[in-house]
């Protein structure tokens, strides 16, 4: 859709209706977000459709990546802790690192 001008124009013409039916906006912010005319236009249209600015949620783009990496690490750490406690109760203590690897 990025190269077809007709489809682009149709999308732009319908953006107001789409944003009017939206309750909130999630803005995945990066350093270049406000440098692109399209994204600035989307935010402006959302605010102009009588939406208060506090209905825009801003999330830095690195946050989903951080969560995606951190959750498995936390899971395996907790799994190791539980396994070591289980083995400790049975008198066969192993370190958390030994259980994971």
């Amino acid at each position: 859709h990025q190269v077809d001008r007709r489809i682009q124009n149709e999308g732009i013409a319908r953006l107001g209706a789409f944003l009017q039916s939206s309750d909130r906006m999630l803005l995945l912010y990066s350093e270049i977000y406000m440098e692109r005319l399209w994204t600035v236009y989307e935010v402006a249209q959302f605010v102009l459709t009588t939406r208060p600015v506090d209905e825009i949620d801003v999330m830095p783009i690195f946050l989903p990546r951080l969560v995606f990496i951190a959750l498995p690490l936390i899971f395996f750490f907790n799994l190791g802790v539980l396994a070591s406690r289980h083995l400790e109760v049975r008198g066969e203590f192993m370190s958390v690192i030994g259980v994971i690897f």
Side-chain angles (χ1 to χ4, degrees):
H1 301 344
Q2 296 297 321
V3 294
D4 189 333
R5 289 284 183 200
R6 182 185 60 78
I7 295 175
Q8 284 180 350
N9 290 334
E10 288 176 8
I12 292 169
R14 292 186 176 106
L15 181 63
F18 176 78
L19 292 174
Q20 267 188 326
S21 65
S22 302
D23 294 330
R24 301 192 70 78
M25 175 181 268
L26 174 61
L27 194 150
L28 296 174
Y29 185 79
S30 69
E31 292 178 7
I32 62 170
Y33 188 86
M34 296 310 274
E35 293 176 7
R36 297 184 181 192
L37 182 59
W38 178 254
T39 54
V40 173
Y41 179 72
E42 285 178 327
V43 173
Q45 283 294 316
F46 186 80
V47 173
L48 289 175
T49 57
T50 66
R51 301 275 191 253
V53 177
D54 64 345
E55 291 183 4
I56 299 176
D57 298 313
V58 179
M59 179 184 295
I61 195 72
F62 72 86
L63 196 56
R65 291 179 189 159
L66 179 66
V67 169
F68 184 73
I69 292 169
L71 283 179
L73 293 175
I74 292 169
F75 172 78
F76 285 114
F77 176 78
N78 285 328
L79 184 64
V81 169
L82 290 174
S84 68
R85 286 183 184 165
H86 175 72
L87 293 173
E88 189 176 302
V89 169
R90 291 181 32 205
E92 302 171 13
F93 178 78
M94 292 180 66
S95 71
V96 173
I97 303 299
V99 171
I100 293 175
F101 298 104

